[in-house]
Amino acid sequence: MAEDEKPKARQGWLARIAPGVRRLVSSRRETPDNLWVKCPDTGEMLYRPDLEAAKWVTPSGRHMRIGSQLRFSYTFDHGRYRLINLPKTPDDPLGFAHGKPYREVLASARKATGQNDAMAAATGEVGGVPCVILVQDFAFMGASLGTAAGEAFLAAADEAVKKKRPLVMFAASGGARMQEGALSLMQMARSTLAIQRLREARLPYVVVLTDPTYGGVTASYAMLGDVQLAEVGAAIGFSGRRVIEQTIREVLPAGFQTAEFQMDRGMVDQVVTREDLPVILGSVLRTLMMGRARLKAA
Amino acid sequence: MAGPFLEFERPIAELESKIEELSQLAADGGPGGLMAEIEALRTRAREMRIEAYAGLDAWQKTQIARHPERPHFVDYVATLIEEFVELRGDRSFGDDQALMGGLGRFRGIPVMVMGHEKGHDTASRLKHNFGAARPEGYRKATRLMNLAEQFGLPVLSFVDTGGAYPGVGSEERGVAEAIARSTERCLTLGTPMIAVITGEGMSGGAIGIAAANKVLILEHGIYAVISPEGCASILMRDRNLAEDMAKAMKITAEDLIRFKIVDKIIPEPPGGAHQDPVATMMAVGDAVEAELKALLKLSPDGLRKQRADRFMAIRAG
C-alpha cells in the first residue's frame, strides 16, 4: 500500500526510487552529473562506473534498488535470458480520476521507465538450472500490485509449469494499487492460485524479497515461497512504518522490518548479498529439481 | 430507530423525534385528530427512510457498513448456528478474539464457522480489538480450515474488518505470512466455503478469510483493497478526502458484482441491517443455505476447481 512511501511521494514516483536509479532513468544525456551518484547512507559521491561494476551495491553495503533488466542480467548465467511476453490488460478499469488521474500516472510511469507496468518476466538459466524469473520494478509506480502485475504473475507461472521450470520471484512493492480498488485485492488470491499450479507440478517457487516489499504483496505471493531469500538490508513488512508509528504512537527502532529482522523472526531462510545471490539461488534450484527428478524416476 | 443516526439520516431523525413528542402529547390527552396526524407522519418517516436508503452513495454505505448496531459475528452465530462450540488459539502463540471461530451446525448441516468480531461496547471492542486481527487470528483460521478439511465440514466465513492490526507485534510475528497462508488454505479447501461480507471487508485482512467458492455481500456492505481513509492518506495525503476515495475505489455491492468480485447481494431491511437485525440475519441464512446446498453437490476437486475458476474469471475488462 506504499504507506511507508508517503512522505516522499508528493514529489512523484521518481523521487521514491534511489537517486542513482533516478538519474539512470530520467536522464539520457551524458552530463557530468550522470557520472556521480550520492550514497543514500553516507552521502559520499560514488563514481557511477564503479557502482555499476559493484552491481549497484555501495561501499557501505547498501543494495540500491535496480530495475528488471539489471536484475535479469545479474542473475541469469552470463547475463543471457529471453523475455516472456506478458498479457495486455485494460488500463484504468475503475475510471479512477481523483487526485492525479490514474491514466496520467500510468502514462508518465511508462514514459519514464519504458516498461508497460511494474512486472517483467524472463527465462534463462541460473547456475545451469533453467528457470523463469519474475521481477517487480519499484521505479514503476512503487511496483504496486494491479491487474497487469497479477496477469504477469499468472503468465510466468504458466510458462514455468508448461516448461517444467522453477519460478523465482524477485518481489518489491509498496503494496496494492489502490487505483484499481478490489480488483487489486483479487490479485492476491489469483497469484496464490498460480502458486498452487507450481506446487501441484512439484516445481520450486522461490521468493527473493528485495527493497522494499510491503502490503498485499507481502501478504500473498511474496510470503509463499518454498524457499524465502532476502537481499541485504531490504525493508520488508505488511504495514508501513508510518502507519505503525501512528497506531502505537511511538517511533520504531532502526532495523525494524529489515531483511535481517525478518530472518531473525523466522520469515526468511537466508539474507544474501547481491553478489552471492546467483550462486545460492542456483544451489537451491539444483537440489530441489534433482529431488523432483528422482521422484519422477521412482 | 436503532442506535445513533448517521448524518444523512438527520431529517428522518428529526421527524421521528417530532412524532415521539406528538405521541407523548396524544397520550396525555391532547387535541382530537392528533392520532391521524401521527400516523401520517409515521408513514412519511418510513417513506423518507426507504427513499434515503435507495440512493445511498459509497460514503454513506461506508458509514452504514460500520454502524455499531449492525449485527456482528457473535450475533450471526447466536442466530444461525446450533450447538456452537468456540475453538480458540493458533497452537503456536496465542488466541486472537478479533477473528473467532468454531464448530456448530447450520440448519442441520455440520459446519466450521469463523469471522471477524468488532465488539459491541467499549469492553468488548477492546477484547476483540475492533475486529483488527493479528497473526494469531489468521493462523487460527488456517488451523480451523485444516480441521474442516479433515472432517469434511463446509466453512462459513463472516467478513467484517477495517483491516489486519498494524502493530509492532503483528509485524514481528509475521502478519503478512499469516494472511498469505490463510488465503492459500481457503483456496485449497476440498470442502465448500462461503464468505459473507456483513459490514466492511478491508484489505488483506479481509481476503485472508474470503477466498471462497461463493462470496456474498449485504446490500450496504463494502469491500475494498484498503479503507477509504487509508487510501486518502496515501494517495491524496489527506485523510479528510476519504469520502472521495470511497467513491473512486468502487467499493459498493453493485460495483463489486459488476466485476464479479462478489457473487450475490443480500438485500437489507429498509434503513439498513441495524433497523432489523434478526430479519437481516435470517436473509443471510437463507442466502447461505441456498449456495451451500448447491456446493455440497460438488466433489472436493470440483470445489477446488470451481473456486479457482471463480477467481481466475475476475478480470479488469
Side-chain angles (χ1 to χ4, degrees):
Chain A
M1 272 153 250
E3 298 187 339
D4 60 322
E5 296 303 317
K6 183 219 174 187
K8 296 180 212 159
R10 190 182 280 282
Q11 305 149 38
W13 69 270
L14 266 175
R16 295 194 212 171
I17 63 168
V21 184
R22 181 184 180 180
R23 287 202 189 90
L24 185 70
V25 296
S26 64
S27 172
R28 291 189 179 84
R29 291 169 300 142
E30 273 303 311
T31 56
D33 190 41
N34 237 348
L35 274 179
W36 296 91
V37 177
K38 196 173 173 182
C39 174
D41 295 325
T42 64
E44 188 189 350
M45 293 309 285
L46 306 169
Y47 188 49
R48 213 183 104 161
D50 289 348
L51 199 49
E52 284 171 345
K55 299 182 175 170
W56 292 90
V57 177
T58 69
S60 67
R62 161 72 74 113
H63 285 52
M64 294 179 76
R65 293 167 188 172
I66 55 172
S68 55
Q69 263 178 305
L70 281 180
R71 182 64 75 182
F72 290 143
S73 64
Y74 293 163
T75 312
F76 283 117
D77 298 347
H78 318 294
R80 281 211 304 265
Y81 60 93
R82 188 174 56 77
L83 285 173
I84 295 171
N85 281 330
L86 298 175
K88 186 97 179 69
T89 55
D91 292 341
D92 194 17
L94 307 186
F96 197 102
H98 285 270
K100 195 170 181 207
Y102 181 28
R103 277 178 190 281
E104 284 176 31
V105 181
L106 265 181
S108 53
R110 283 173 184 162
K111 195 169 166 213
T113 61
Q115 306 285 323
N116 184 59
D117 208 282
M119 195 95 87
T123 176
E125 292 184 3
V126 176
V129 184
C131 62
V132 175
I133 296 184
L134 262 169
V135 177
Q136 288 183 287
D137 187 350
F138 196 74
F140 193 103
M141 288 186 71
S144 53
L145 173 63
T147 49
E151 291 297 336
F153 193 99
L154 297 188
D158 283 348
E159 175 81 4
V161 171
K162 202 171 76 190
K163 300 266 172 65
K164 299 187 173 67
R165 294 178 173 194
L167 179 65
V168 179
M169 172 79 231
F170 283 85
S173 183
R177 189 166 292 176
M178 289 167 284
Q179 293 95 331
E180 295 188 16
L183 284 170
S184 163
L185 188 66
M186 294 299 112
Q187 306 315 316
M188 293 171 67
R190 301 175 93 233
S191 56
T192 303
L193 282 165
I195 294 165
Q196 304 319 305
R197 293 177 184 168
L198 291 159
R199 303 225 203 280
E200 281 157 22
R202 286 191 202 273
L203 289 165
Y205 171 58
V206 176
V207 174
V208 185
L209 298 156
T210 71
D211 187 59
T213 306
Y214 275 91
V217 169
T218 316
S220 59
Y221 58 82
M223 274 292 159
L224 293 173
D226 297 312
V227 174
Q228 295 275 127
L229 305 176
E231 243 186 11
V232 171
I236 302 155
F238 180 56
S239 303
R241 274 187 93 89
R242 190 180 51 87
V243 170
I244 301 169
E245 287 178 345
Q246 281 174 359
T247 307
I248 63 168
R249 297 190 175 84
E250 273 174 48
V251 175
L252 293 167
F256 186 73
Q257 294 183 326
T258 58
E260 295 74 12
F261 170 101
Q262 297 294 356
M263 183 171 69
D264 287 347
R265 279 156 190 82
M267 288 297 142
V268 164
D269 292 295
Q270 282 208 18
V271 175
V272 288
T273 63
R274 194 165 287 165
E275 188 60 36
D276 292 343
L277 193 54
V279 172
I280 292 174
L281 207 48
S283 300
V284 167
L285 297 180
R286 194 172 310 109
T287 302
L288 291 175
M289 287 304 274
M290 281 175 71
R292 180 180 189 273
R294 287 164 67 98
L295 265 180
K296 295 279 161 187
Chain B
M1 62 183 292
F5 63 86
L6 303 169
E7 192 47 43
F8 68 91
E9 294 177 312
R10 183 178 295 277
I12 307 168
E14 281 169 3
L15 184 59
E16 279 173 343
S17 74
K18 196 178 162 198
I19 294 169
E20 196 69 23
E21 273 173 42
L22 288 174
S23 308
Q24 200 60 49
L25 209 58
D28 296 347
L34 206 51
M35 289 315 288
E37 194 185 331
I38 290 169
E39 208 34 61
L41 286 175
R42 283 214 171 103
T43 308
R44 178 69 199 128
R46 260 197 305 277
E47 286 167 0
M48 279 171 77
R49 188 176 297 285
I50 291 168
E51 229 169 86
Y53 271 75
L56 295 174
D57 67 29
W59 183 240
Q60 291 167 331
K61 288 202 180 225
T62 301
Q63 294 163 285
I64 299 163
R66 294 170 175 170
H67 197 290
E69 303 293 325
R70 227 175 144 75
H72 286 170
F73 176 76
V74 294
D75 305 309
Y76 283 100
V77 166
T79 310
L80 297 175
I81 306 297
E82 302 117 50
E83 280 191 53
F84 177 69
V85 177
E86 188 183 356
L87 302 179
R88 293 193 182 87
D90 68 347
R91 300 295 186 267
S92 162
F93 182 82
D95 183 45
D96 182 0
Q97 284 288 304
L99 210 173
M100 303 170 71
L103 293 165
R105 289 196 313 280
F106 166 70
R107 300 191 177 175
I109 304 164
V111 293
M112 183 67 77
V113 55
M114 60 189 190
H116 303 102
E117 173 56 50
K118 288 181 169 179
H120 61 273
D121 57 19
T122 305
S124 62
R125 279 180 197 126
L126 288 172
K127 178 185 169 195
H128 297 288
N129 201 32
F130 302 86
R134 298 180 167 94
E136 295 70 46
Y138 295 98
R139 296 203 171 107
K140 175 169 64 180
T142 303
R143 177 172 85 83
L144 298 193
M145 287 187 275
N146 287 338
L147 186 57
E149 179 92 69
Q150 179 73 7
F151 290 92
L153 304 175
V155 177
L156 307 184
S157 174
F158 294 85
V159 179
D160 189 17
T161 182
Y165 186 64
V168 173
S170 274
E171 293 289 329
E172 286 177 331
R173 302 191 299 276
V175 67
E177 194 265 356
I179 291 172
R181 294 286 170 198
S182 183
T183 309
E184 183 174 45
R185 195 64 192 91
C186 293
L187 292 167
T188 54
L189 260 182
T191 65
M193 177 168 182
I194 297 171
V196 186
I197 298 155
T198 59
E200 53 175 345
M202 297 292 117
S203 175
I207 193 119
I209 61 165
N213 292 91
K214 293 285 175 182
V215 181
L216 316 182
I217 188 167
L218 274 172
E219 185 182 351
H220 305 309
I222 56 170
Y223 192 22
V225 70
I226 184 170
S227 70
E229 289 82 359
C231 183
S233 158
I234 295 164
L235 273 190
M236 316 295 287
R237 264 150 285 292
D238 184 357
R239 284 182 84 82
N240 298 319
L241 295 173
E243 181 170 349
D244 290 344
M245 294 303 103
K247 291 168 186 169
M249 282 199 296
K250 304 281 189 280
I251 62 177
T252 69
E254 301 92 89
D255 288 323
L256 296 163
I257 206 157
R258 201 156 50 84
F259 288 108
K260 298 189 176 129
I261 290 167
V262 298
D263 301 290
K264 191 176 166 45
I265 301 172
I266 305 167
E268 295 187 24
H274 56 285
Q275 294 293 339
D276 194 344
V278 172
T280 304
M281 291 187 283
M282 294 314 280
V284 167
D286 292 347
V288 168
E289 187 182 0
E291 300 292 348
L292 187 54
K293 288 202 162 145
L295 289 173
L296 281 168
K297 297 189 175 108
L298 299 179
S299 67
D301 278 345
L303 287 163
R304 279 186 278 263
K305 184 177 184 310
Q306 186 276 340
R307 205 181 292 119
D309 290 348
R310 181 200 179 274
F311 280 92
M312 287 306 178
I314 300 170
R315 286 172 184 275

